[in-house]
Structures are given as C-alpha cells and as structure tokens.
Amino acid sequence: RSHLRNRPLNSSLSACDKGRMTTTSRVKLITTYNQFELAMSDSNSVVAILYTVPGCPHCNRFLPSFNSLSIESGCANVSFYNVNLMSGDGMGIARRNAVSGVPHTAFY
C-alpha cells in the first residue's frame, strides 16, 4: 500500500472516469443547519449526503468518486451534498444525524 500514497487521487480512475472529472460536480456544500434543512426538503426523490473532514485520507480518496457519481446521467433524480464537519455547523449536523465516523454517506 505504501506505493499508493504518493499517487494523485484520480490516478486510480479509468480513462472514462478521468474524462468525467472535467465536468462540473453537482455536489453542494452544506455549512449551516438552514442549508441542511433545505437539502432535506429538496424536490428530488433521493438526497445523498457525504460527511467528511479535511485531511482524512479515506475522505480524500472517496470524494472524487462521489463527485463523479453526481454527474452521471443515471443520477439526475439524486441531489448530492457534502457536509464538512470542520466547517460552520458541520459537527452539529453530523451529531444530529448520528454520524460516528467519516467518510459517512447517508441517503434520504
């Protein structure tokens, strides 16, 4: 595993995935309780929320895949959000939703 540490995060993605990385992600950042409540009332049928912490190696590896998934054509009815636990009300939002570790993905 040590040989993987110095590789760029997207180096393990296929050529197809790398091409999608240039498209704008649809993941929206949540930093306040109000933004979280608005996300929960989103009109899409599914809301996907990824809870992360800066510097978390597992979060840093998963976030590019979450961003790529957000732009897939089959995910048009899914709204994607990211809660950074170290930003604004992020820690409180995570506590209210029983997030005990990161990365943590929740679907509503």
Side-chain angles (χ1 to χ4, degrees), residues 35-55:
Q35 290 172 334
F36 182 81
E37 293 304 322
L38 287 172
M40 292 292 91
S41 64
D42 196 306
S43 62
N44 273 329
S45 59
V46 177
V47 174
I49 299 182
L50 175 63
Y51 295 86
T52 60
V53 172

Side-chain angles (χ1 to χ4, degrees), residues 2-100:
S2 64
H3 69 282
L4 298 176
R5 285 192 191 124
N6 295 325
R7 290 173 36 180
L9 290 178
N10 64 355
S11 67
S12 62
L13 298 175
S14 69
C16 183
D17 288 332
K18 287 181 183 176
R20 284 191 294 249
M21 295 293 281
T22 60
T23 305
T24 304
S25 169
R26 293 187 321 129
V27 178
K28 299 173 191 151
L29 184 62
I30 294 175
T31 59
T32 67
Y33 290 111
N34 187 46
Q35 290 172 334
F36 182 81
E37 293 304 322
L38 287 172
M40 292 292 91
S41 64
D42 196 306
S43 62
N44 273 329
S45 59
V46 177
V47 174
I49 299 182
L50 175 63
Y51 295 86
T52 60
V53 172
C56 163
H58 304 292
C59 300
N60 291 339
R61 274 188 232 121
F62 185 67
L63 192 54
S65 297
F66 192 71
N67 287 332
S68 292
L69 184 62
S70 77
I71 59 175
E72 290 286 332
S73 61
C75 294
N77 67 331
V78 180
S79 295
F80 293 85
Y81 296 92
N82 176 234
V83 175
N84 176 339
L85 275 63
M86 305 309 284
S87 193
D89 297 327
M91 188 66 74
I93 293 168
R95 283 189 192 125
R96 282 188 182 178
N97 291 282
V99 173
S100 59

